[in-house]
Amino acid sequence: EKKIIIAIDGYSSSGKSSMARALASAIGYRYIDSGAMYRAVTLWGMRHGMVENGNVDSEALVSALPGITIDFKPMPDGRQRTLLNGEDVEDEIRRLNVSNNVSQVSVIPEVRHRLVAMQQALGEGKGIVMDGRDIGTTVFPAAEMKVFVDASAETRAQRRFSELVDKGVPATYEEVLANVVHRDHIDETREESPLRKAGDAVSLDNSCMSIEEQNAWLLDLYNKIL
Ligand code: C5P
């Protein structure tokens, strides 16, 4: 059976991770959340006083990179837990204080080079669904299937806010919306592999779609491409 690489890019909280994970489990592929890797590096920097309130000591963080390892532990439900130097940080990297700093860490070219190399290594055997911002443009420009997901900022903020409430993470809708808009802006305007739709990616605006509709749409696209 032919194995391919599937790249799902898009804006923050567009639902791309849920879609990517559902597709991976439906077709028996490995799912990788590349954003978790940028979040893990950000958390490491916060813990070591190199990242605070949107300010990053990039020189110090870049020299620390060789000592930062990131792994994924697959769970029986198809989810993955992110390990930072062996420690499970999956819950911590989803907090708003990490979200508020992650885009500032993600602009650093050396951070991107290192994480992109790790992502490419994970895709070596194909049979992988990866979501992020630059998967179809930079990480896997030759991916056989590319999707670019978008929805209005308000829709996305509402989704992220509900997710945080469900997890019992303290946040207000207003601060989540502000974070989503701010993060998108940094992601779109950075020099190094900015958030951009690949020329050969298929666009999906899922503002008015249910999760079931999105999953069906994605599986249908996969079956057409294969
Ligand atoms: O996907 P998620 O919202 O968790 O990603 C967090 C942040 O990580 C993004 O806002 C972006 O700054 C960065 N990121 C990136 N490239 C990727 C994935 C995430 O720059 N491929």
Side-chain angles (χ1 to χ4, degrees):
E1 196 193 334
K2 187 185 164 206
K3 293 230 180 237
I4 63 168
I5 290 186
I6 302 175
I8 316 258
D9 288 303
Y11 286 86
S12 53
S13 304
S14 56
K16 59 190 175 352
S17 302
S18 319
M19 290 174 71
R21 193 167 52 233
L23 178 65
S25 95
I27 65 178
Y29 274 27
R30 178 154 194 220
Y31 164 67
I32 297 290
D33 170 5
S34 68
M37 302 167 83
Y38 290 92
R39 288 172 177 274
V41 171
T42 302
L43 177 64
W44 193 95
M46 290 168 69
R47 286 177 171 180
H48 292 82
M50 296 170 188
V51 177
E52 206 182 348
N53 299 325
N55 298 310
V56 182
D57 181 346
S58 39
E59 213 176 305
L61 190 58
V62 167
S63 11
L65 282 175
I68 304 177
T69 64
I70 298 162
D71 295 291
F72 293 111
K73 185 170 140 204
M75 304 301 284
D77 66 356
R79 289 179 179 265
Q80 57 169 14
R81 311 252 340 150
T82 307
L83 306 182
L84 172 60
N85 291 343
E87 175 194 348
D88 184 332
V89 294
E90 182 59 33
D91 298 328
E92 213 172 331
I93 59 169
R94 304 297 161 190
R95 299 217 178 111
L96 214 48
N97 59 352
V98 174
S99 302
N100 284 335
N101 286 293
V102 64
S103 286
Q104 286 84 344
V105 168
S106 304
V107 301
I108 304 170
E110 291 86 350
V111 169
R112 303 203 68 81
H113 297 162
R114 186 168 172 89
L115 296 187
V116 166
M118 289 171 62
Q119 291 152 10
Q120 288 170 337
L122 288 164
E124 253 161 26
K126 297 208 173 189
I128 194 168
V129 183
M130 191 175 292
D131 82 350
R133 303 292 185 290
D134 61 339
I135 310 306
T137 52
T138 303
V139 181
F140 298 121
E144 289 85 351
M145 171 169 164
K146 297 182 187 178
V147 177
F148 191 84
V149 191
D150 194 11
S152 75
E154 290 73 21
T155 304
R156 293 183 288 114
Q158 187 57 54
R159 287 177 186 158
R160 174 62 60 108
F161 176 63
S162 310
E163 242 172 57
L164 292 171
V165 169
D166 286 347
K167 287 187 191 160
V169 179
T172 65
Y173 169 76
E174 286 69 28
E175 64 181 329
V176 173
L177 176 63
N179 171 256
V180 160
V181 171
H182 183 56
R183 202 138 55 92
D184 290 346
H185 178 73
I186 301 178
D187 293 347
E188 282 177 315
T189 55
R190 70 178 173 230
E191 282 284 312
E192 184 87 21
S193 59
L195 165 62
R196 205 164 25 81
K197 179 188 166 298
D200 53 351
V202 180
S203 290
L204 173 71
D205 184 322
N206 64 9
S207 302
C208 301
M209 285 169 97
S210 70
I211 289 180
E212 292 72 25
E213 286 170 331
Q214 294 170 47
N215 291 348
W217 181 90
L218 196 61
L219 189 58
D220 193 49
L221 182 67
Y222 166 78
N223 284 323
K224 279 188 193 134
I225 283 173
L226 213 72

